[in-house]
Amino acid sequence: MYDVIVIGSGIGGLTAAGLLAGVAGKRVLVLEKHSEPGGQTHTFRRGGASWDVGVHYVGAMSPGEDPRLLSDFLSAGELGWNRMPEEFDRYVYPDFELRPIADETEYFSRLVELFPAEKQAIERWFTDVKKARRWLQLGFVSQMLPARAAAKMRLAQRLTGRLGTMTTRGWLDQHVRDVRLKALLASQWGDYGVPPAKSAFAMHALIFDHYLKGAWFPAGGSSRIARTFEAGIEAAGGAVRVEQEVIDIRVENGRVTGVHVRDLRSNTHDHEQTYLAPVVISAVGARNTFNKLMPSTHDTKHLTAPLRDQVDQLGVGDSAVVAYIRFREDPRVIGVDGSSIRVFGDHHHDDTPTHVQNLLDGRATEGFISFPSVKAGQPVHTAEIVTSAPYAAFQQWRKRGVRNRGADYDALKQRIGDGLVALADRVLPGFRDLVEHVEVSTPLTAEHYTSHPWGAFFGLPATPDRLRMKPLGPRTPIPGLYLAGQDAMSLGVVGAMMGGVAAASQVLGSRGYPRIMKAVRAGRAPLRTDGPLPQGRFRARVVLSRELTPSVQELTVEIDGEVGTWVPGQFARLLVAPHEWRDYSIVGLEEGRLRLLISTATGGLGSRFAASARPGTPLRVELPLGRFQAFPSNRRRLFVATGTGLAPFLPMFADLMQEDDLLVFGCRTAAEDLTTLLTDPLPSTIRCISREAVPGARHGRVTTELSKLDLDWRRTEVYLSGSDAMIVDATRLLHQKGVTFLRTEPY
């Protein structure tokens, strides 16, 4: 039994959980469907590189500002923030460009210098931005208050809302003549995902004002947000559990009693259980909460019907396409300084059909270019190029599984990626020459990994209708049920964080908000780390460390405690540095001894930990995780691996090897050939060595060998594990050959 259950580990859910744990000592269980905590603040890693899926920069994080105080309290001071350059953005249009600066007076002067005839309109812009922002924040404050006081504040807000609830385009058309200035002032609409003709002016004003004092980025990357916040939750006896899919919210006698969960890390993948708590906070969006998770009893449906109608009336916002890029070298050689670049093909932000068609044709005309490795101080350099895209453009592939959407989908993603790289190269000459690898996500990716319906990761769209309606807020008509996150408050990182504050305030009662802010301003003592660990996490120690190759370390780890059953193909998560976890496939797990193969080639935190680990080195482990599994089959099974991508296949072969299984393994040199260095059982194997000719091996890459194999591809099941470049190239090739069963595990 927990005091509170939180559904979803985005920043809204983690903020609510962390405040209830840190301020009131409540035992909170946070449940996350994905294998990584953090929601839109999580990162994903490939071969030592990392990308931030939703955080590109954050405002209001100067020391002493409320969001920074909250961050410091929730992380017990462990989450650092890097100040971005004063010119943190660059807006590039075909005939002009501007660099906003983190100084309101200087920003105003730059605008007037560009558009001297529009000085009066620019003055009016800054004045009305302040008015609309203050008006909107009245509504936010009301969500922190008891119901009676909140109603009075909302009434006052409704009487003064004409400015805030006009569209951004409406304000610009009314006050600005120059089409270029209209475009420029609307440039930040991508930060909340609604173009100016549809967005509420107050929401655009909030975003514009939010960054007037500059922008910040989490030191070490956005994954640090979840990892530092969860420590405070655990210190109060709570837990953040991943791979836990909430099926429904339990309601008995008109009141919340807990949640029903499918444990996705279970070896059967259909294990279900119920967690009990008198309070449930849903941080997975109003649409998921009321349309998917609530029970369908008559009373509950009747009580939540107005909220469902409101959600339906507001509709769904657009999603995005993202190109995730790894560079061969530091992009600062071409002038990158950590600031972002927004590129626009014309002055008309609302011309969506033209933009979308150009994107799909590989001729991207607009995009937001970000450099997470430079901002976070990461050694492997990366970039992200984001551009808005409707779900409908990708809907025809919705029913096909991840990595199995077919050759036409692969070709579309490659075309989109090439177009986005070309776009970046036009504004940053030399960008294309630095690119080593590109991986593209679509709205289908966002829907799969974050569970946002139709990939709409901004939640309910920020339209005038949303602001005219009674705000959803954290309160619901079901006693014990609250909302947190973007839909409960506002969009973006800080908006979702304040949604978590609002939910925690309501849970704690009429004095909840002042109680929270008093504790936050007082600060927090360092957290204890010697308490009991949550379910699924263990203390452990290294008992064997062996260098197999110059770039592969074999570790054997002894675990304290009973792990239970696992499935070959699953992985373990190791704490390799404070708040830094890395994932490694389980090669073996018997009698509490965990065997791993770890690449040390990247030189990152995980590599350095593995290279320096000695018998007796203590660590923490979370396991088993993941759903990469081989199945018995009456069809041919082909396994393709590069480097330590062989690791998940080794227990599969030991557990259930079939007579006609075939392994294609690739590495660069004979010294890196793990198939000759390990004694584990292997099926018939084709060895591919790319950088030297070796007797008994093929000279070349695994994809070259795959192109030559003569198999009945439609009756072949293929498993891929290895470098991201190999996975992408092999997936494209195999789809062209007609493979329909394809499972992958990039590392």
Side-chain angles (χ1 to χ4, degrees):
M1 183 89 176
Y2 289 88
D3 298 317
V4 180
I5 293 171
V6 175
I7 308 170
S9 69
I11 193 168
L14 289 174
T15 296
L19 290 174
L20 292 171
V23 174
K26 291 190 179 294
R27 189 166 177 254
V28 185
L29 174 64
V30 182
L31 299 170
E32 170 59 52
K33 178 183 175 183
H34 191 24
S35 60
E36 285 284 338
Q40 286 296 114
T41 70
H42 89 272
T43 64
F44 72 94
R45 303 184 64 81
R46 301 275 193 267
S50 67
W51 294 268
D52 303 84
V53 300
V55 179
H56 302 295
Y57 47 45
V58 180
M61 282 295 170
S62 297
E65 292 191 85
D66 280 355
R68 178 62 173 267
L69 292 173
L70 284 162
S71 168
D72 291 345
F73 178 84
L74 290 163
S75 69
E78 291 291 306
L79 177 60
W81 291 89
N82 291 339
R83 176 81 172 183
M84 289 183 61
E86 293 301 289
E87 295 178 335
F88 58 90
D89 250 347
R90 175 185 167 197
Y91 303 158
V92 180
Y93 287 87
D95 51 347
F96 74 99
E97 68 175 73
L98 176 76
R99 292 178 182 266
I101 188 167
D103 181 294
E104 186 172 341
T105 302
E106 176 63 21
Y107 194 179
F108 173 84
S109 298
R110 291 185 182 189
L111 288 171
V112 172
E113 184 179 353
L114 267 178
F115 305 99
E118 295 278 15
K119 181 178 180 181
Q120 186 175 356
I122 296 168
E123 290 175 342
R124 179 69 177 267
W125 170 264
F126 279 88
T127 299
D128 283 359
V129 158
K130 300 291 185 185
K131 288 181 180 178
R133 185 262 297 163
R134 286 194 294 268
W135 172 83
L136 188 58
Q137 287 181 330
L138 276 177
F140 295 162
V141 172
S142 73
Q143 303 309 317
M144 315 289 186
L145 302 177
R148 185 173 298 178
K152 292 179 180 179
M153 186 168 287
R154 285 199 300 271
L155 176 61
Q157 190 194 28
R158 281 199 295 273
L159 295 175
T160 58
R162 181 173 297 179
L163 174 65
T165 56
M166 68 189 308
T167 65
T168 306
R169 176 72 176 271
W171 192 99
L172 293 168
D173 286 346
Q174 183 175 329
H175 298 288
V176 180
R177 295 185 302 274
D178 194 311
V179 67
R180 297 174 302 157
L181 179 58
K182 289 181 183 181
L184 188 60
L185 294 176
S187 296
Q188 287 172 289
W189 73 266
D191 284 348
Y192 58 91
V194 183
K198 297 179 180 179
S199 66
F201 175 67
M203 186 60 67
H204 191 85
L206 181 72
I207 295 298
F208 185 90
D209 188 75
H210 183 66
Y211 291 107
L212 285 177
K213 294 181 181 179
W216 301 74
F217 193 77
S222 59
S223 64
R224 285 287 185 93
I225 297 173
R227 291 306 187 183
T228 55
F229 287 13
E230 74 175 345
I233 297 167
E234 291 181 1
V240 178
R241 296 208 73 210
V242 297
E243 295 192 339
Q244 305 294 302
E245 180 182 11
V246 176
I247 302 170
D248 57 57
I249 298 169
R250 309 306 295 264
V251 178
E252 296 179 12
N253 299 319
R255 178 173 190 89
V256 160
T257 60
V259 297
H260 192 58
V261 175
R262 180 178 294 116
D263 185 356
L264 300 178
R265 70 170 82 187
S266 165
N267 63 323
T268 60
H269 295 169
D270 60 2
H271 177 67
E272 297 179 6
Q273 65 186 103
T274 297
Y275 292 105
L276 300 177
V279 173
V280 172
I281 299 174
S282 177
V284 293
R287 192 179 305 277
N288 278 331
T289 303
F290 298 121
N291 291 355
K292 182 179 178 182
L293 299 181
M294 293 302 298
S296 58
T297 60
H298 173 74
D299 289 346
T300 302
K301 288 182 70 174
H302 175 72
L303 288 171
T304 58
L307 296 174
R308 293 198 309 276
D309 290 343
Q310 186 174 343
V311 167
D312 290 341
Q313 288 176 45
L314 290 174
V316 180
D318 276 351
S319 185
V321 162
V322 186
Y324 297 101
I325 293 161
R326 185 173 63 238
F327 291 122
R328 292 187 177 88
E329 59 180 298
D330 192 328
R332 282 173 284 207
V333 300
I334 58 171
V336 169
D337 62 359
S339 59
S340 303
I341 305 172
R342 299 175 191 263
V343 187
F344 302 97
D346 54 38
H347 306 132
H348 306 292
H349 296 296
D350 299 296
D351 190 11
T352 302
T354 301
H355 156 66
V356 173
Q357 193 56 57
N358 286 335
L359 175 69
L360 300 178
D361 290 343
R363 296 180 287 106
T365 55
E366 60 186 61
F368 174 86
I369 310 168
S370 175
F371 302 91
S373 61
V374 176
K375 292 182 291 186
Q378 302 280 17
V380 181
H381 286 286
T382 55
E384 299 152 354
I385 310 175
V386 187
T387 191
S388 63
Y391 185 85
F394 304 89
Q395 192 165 5
Q396 70 188 83
W397 293 282
R398 181 182 189 181
K399 293 184 179 179
R400 303 185 196 176
V402 175
R403 303 278 184 181
N404 282 286
R405 303 196 197 275
D408 49 351
Y409 183 73
D410 295 339
L412 175 63
K413 291 209 300 181
Q414 183 174 7
R415 191 161 61 245
I416 289 171
D418 290 345
L420 289 171
V421 169
L423 176 74
D425 196 64
R426 289 199 293 274
V427 296
L428 271 177
F431 184 99
R432 191 201 311 265
D433 295 336
L434 296 182
V435 172
E436 182 177 55
H437 176 72
V438 181
E439 186 169 342
V440 173
S441 73
T442 74
L444 300 179
T445 316
E447 182 180 54
H448 175 79
Y449 286 106
T450 70
S451 295
H452 287 95
W454 301 287
F457 50 80
F458 282 114
L460 298 175
T463 60
D465 283 345
R466 176 172 175 178
L467 301 190
R468 292 187 189 109
M469 292 178 177
K470 179 182 177 181
L472 287 170
R475 294 178 289 266
T476 78
I478 309 299
L481 176 65
Y482 300 87
L483 293 182
Q486 294 185 115
D487 289 353
M489 187 65 72
S490 183
L491 309 184
V493 173
V494 172
M497 173 185 272
M498 298 311 294
V501 175
S505 297
Q506 295 300 325
V507 171
L508 294 180
S510 60
R511 297 289 300 167
Y513 181 63
R515 180 182 175 186
I516 285 171
M517 294 313 297
K518 180 180 178 181
V520 165
R521 292 191 172 102
R524 193 173 192 176
L527 301 173
R528 291 186 60 182
T529 59
D530 57 353
L533 297 182
Q535 181 183 358
R537 288 191 176 174
F538 305 89
R539 290 184 172 86
R541 71 196 60 79
V542 175
V543 294
L544 176 67
S545 178
R546 180 166 71 109
E547 184 182 274
L548 285 179
T549 78
S551 61
V552 176
Q553 200 78 12
E554 181 181 25
L555 291 187
T556 302
V557 173
E558 189 169 64
I559 297 172
D560 295 336
E562 184 63 38
V563 174
T565 58
W566 65 287
V567 176
Q570 289 187 293
F571 64 87
R573 182 164 285 158
L574 274 60
L575 184 64
V576 299
H579 310 297
E580 292 286 348
W581 296 80
R582 296 293 184 266
D583 301 339
Y584 302 106
S585 295
I586 299 172
V587 177
L589 179 55
E590 296 181 5
E591 298 181 351
R593 290 207 165 192
L594 169 68
R595 181 180 166 218
L596 305 167
L597 299 180
I598 299 178
S599 170
T600 58
T602 66
L605 291 172
S607 295
R608 296 202 295 272
F609 171 82
S612 63
R614 297 293 181 266
T617 300
L619 72 155
R620 293 190 183 187
V621 179
E622 182 175 10
L623 78 168
L625 294 164
R627 286 171 278 172
F628 188 54
Q629 181 179 356
F631 299 93
S633 177
N634 57 8
R635 299 192 293 180
R636 185 76 181 265
R637 299 192 308 180
L638 172 64
F639 298 84
V640 184
T642 54
T644 54
L646 181 64
F649 293 155
L650 296 176
M652 294 178 186
F653 299 147
D655 183 61
L656 184 64
M657 194 189 314
Q658 297 182 182
E659 185 177 354
D660 60 350
D661 283 349
L662 176 63
L663 169 66
V664 178
F665 175 79
C667 57
R668 295 174 302 176
T669 66
E672 298 173 343
D673 186 355
L674 294 175
T675 65
T676 64
L677 298 170
L678 297 168
T679 59
D680 302 75
L682 298 174
S684 176
T685 301
I686 299 174
R687 297 153 54 223
C688 302
I689 298 179
S690 60
R691 296 192 179 179
E692 60 185 25
V694 176
R698 311 293 170 86
H699 188 195
R701 302 175 64 207
V702 294
T703 46
T704 303
E705 189 59 33
L706 289 177
S707 67
K708 299 176 183 177
L709 283 178
D710 183 18
L711 301 176
D712 182 354
W713 291 106
R714 292 189 179 277
R715 291 189 52 79
T716 300
E717 298 179 359
V718 183
Y719 298 83
L720 302 176
S721 178
S723 70
D724 47 358
M726 184 277 285
I727 295 285
V728 169
D729 291 346
T731 297
R732 186 180 301 123
L733 172 65
L734 293 166
H735 282 161
Q736 291 170 353
K737 288 182 173 291
V739 171
T740 57
F741 182 100
L742 182 62
R743 293 177 66 84
T744 65
E745 182 83 331
Y747 71 82

